[in-house]
Amino acid sequence: DTLWDLAIAEVKKRENPDDHDDVKPGEVWEKSILFMGNKNGGKTTIILRCLEREESPKPTLALEYTFGRRARRHNTPKDVAHFWELGGGTSLLELIRVPITSYNIRSFAVVLVLDLSKPLELWTTMESLLQVTRNHVNKILTKLEKTNPEVAAEIKQRMWNNLQRDHPDYALVDPFPIPLVIIGSKYDIFHEFDSEMRKIISKTLRFVSHYYGASLVFTSKSEALLLKARALVNHLAFGYDKSKSVSVDPSKPLFIPAGLDSMSQIGPPPASDSDLGKVRANTPLELWKKVFEKTFPPKSFCDLQDTKDPAQDIQYTEYEVDVMRAQKNQELEQYKRNASKSWKEMDFDSD
């Protein structure tokens, strides 16, 4: 290669850091994606569609795994994408640390699926899941800064790749530490909402996505909308070209790839000047949260917890295991009764 060839290749690599240019011939491209979001929000449906599987979606138990394979070209090794799905809404947050590790952090991405038909749960679900994920990723980065500072620096730099330094919002945003896509599901139900409600939700999600350097897409069971969501996921999973099209009309499904929105286009939070003046907030994100929750008072975190015991789910019935479990439960109850009886019979010194 000439010096010019090398320079052109380096520029392309910097402009498209997730592109296949940095994968040597014969090597396998390997990525991991964690899907999380509202319970029954449509995560499994989206994964199945991305993998072109015709299966009927089943309720997700705790943390589930599957994978997909794609060949870049004819007679080349198939690239692999690992798909993790966190079930239970916000009730199993501690499981987030299982799939995201220091070994795969460079090739990891997150897809947050928010149920547009449940605006009262929207902010709490989003905030809880992203906060726990971000804290976990930051802990990994802190360790990497000591053990492998070059990788840590690369990941931190990549956070800003979707936003050019001359972007007017460069100092106003706080990019998520790993690639993030936000999917608003059940658009067919959301579309029946009052136009003002739709406007507030759409505007708020646009701000949150732009603030975190994320892509945003609204989808439903419609094939056309699922294809748009699939395009963003396939970009993360297999390095497919990222769409440059944008749809910001609140009367239509939103589709905004990361870095293609701006604060000036989004506008101020949906509240009057007098109301905004009364809101006390330390960050732009906190300001938008308070304005949003004034219209959509959030459900408490406890209300979002999944209280159903998955061990009692009939779809996981297994006779031998269930018989043994019932026996152990009886033994436990007997132990509790004996322990309680012996405790009461204990003679304590009065001194």
Side-chain angles (χ1 to χ4, degrees), residues 109-317:
V110 169
V111 174
L112 176 64
V113 181
L114 298 174
D115 189 337
L116 296 174
S117 71
K118 299 177 180 177
L120 300 185
E121 298 179 13
L122 194 149
W123 193 285
T124 305
T125 299
M126 174 182 66
E127 184 176 57
S128 302
L129 290 169
L130 291 184
Q131 192 172 56
V132 171
T133 305
R134 185 167 208 161
N135 289 342
H136 176 61
V137 172
N138 285 339
K139 286 180 181 178
I140 292 176
L141 291 177
T142 300
K143 291 181 180 178
L144 280 176
E145 285 176 343
K146 299 176 182 177
T147 60
N148 199 335
E150 290 184 1
V151 171
E154 175 196 327
I155 294 171
K156 289 188 175 183
Q157 177 56 44
R158 194 186 298 171
M159 291 165 51
W160 295 93
N161 282 340
N162 289 320
L163 209 64
Q164 301 299 322
R165 284 191 174 274
D166 58 354
H167 194 290
D169 302 333
Y170 195 83
L172 302 174
V173 298
D174 187 15
F176 206 67
I178 54 180
L180 172 66
V181 168
I182 297 177
I183 298 178
S185 66
K186 301 187 181 179
Y187 178 79
D188 50 337
I189 300 175
F190 171 77
H191 188 60
E192 301 300 321
F193 285 7
D194 172 77
S195 61
E196 194 59 32
M197 290 174 62
R198 292 202 312 269
K199 184 178 178 182
I200 293 172
I201 296 171
S202 296
K203 201 173 184 181
T204 300
L205 287 179
R206 280 183 66 186
F207 168 80
V208 171
S209 299
H210 185 57
Y211 184 79
Y212 283 129
S215 297
L216 174 66
V217 60
F218 284 1
T219 190
S220 68
K221 292 182 179 179
S222 157
E223 187 65 20
L225 294 184
L226 278 172
L227 282 173
K228 288 194 171 186
R230 180 185 169 193
L232 289 176
V233 174
N234 278 339
H235 170 68
L236 297 177
F238 301 107
Y240 289 8
D241 290 340
K242 185 166 62 173
S243 174
K244 297 291 178 67
S245 66
V246 177
S247 175
V248 296
D249 186 344
S251 65
K252 298 178 181 178
L254 297 182
F255 182 83
I256 312 171
L260 299 185
D261 212 342
S262 67
M263 298 293 188
S264 60
Q265 293 178 22
I266 297 169
S272 65
D273 292 342
S274 58
D275 287 340
L276 282 177
K278 298 174 185 176
V279 177
R280 292 187 177 182
N282 295 320
T283 65
L285 190 66
E286 188 179 351
L287 175 63
W288 278 81
K289 175 185 177 180
K290 290 188 175 182
V291 171
F292 181 83
E293 291 184 342
K294 187 175 181 181
T295 304
F296 302 105
K299 284 189 175 183
S300 68
F301 186 77
C302 293
D303 292 339
L304 299 178
Q305 297 295 299
D306 185 10
T307 56
K308 183 179 178 182
D309 182 1
Q312 306 302 321
D313 195 318
I314 59 173
Q315 71 171 314
Y316 303 108
T317 299

Side-chain angles (χ1 to χ4, degrees), residues 1 3-15 21:
D1 291 340
L3 183 61
W4 282 112
D5 291 331
L6 294 172
I8 291 171
E10 181 64 22
V11 169
K12 282 185 177 180
K13 185 176 178 180
R14 291 182 180 180
E15 291 178 345
D21 290 346

Side-chain angles (χ1 to χ4, degrees), residues 324-341:
M324 183 60 70
R325 175 69 183 265
Q327 179 183 330
K328 292 300 179 183
N329 284 341
Q330 290 178 357
E331 292 174 1
L332 177 60
E333 290 303 317
Q334 184 62 44
Y335 172 80
K336 287 180 180 178
R337 287 193 291 270
N338 292 341
S340 176
K341 184 177 179 181

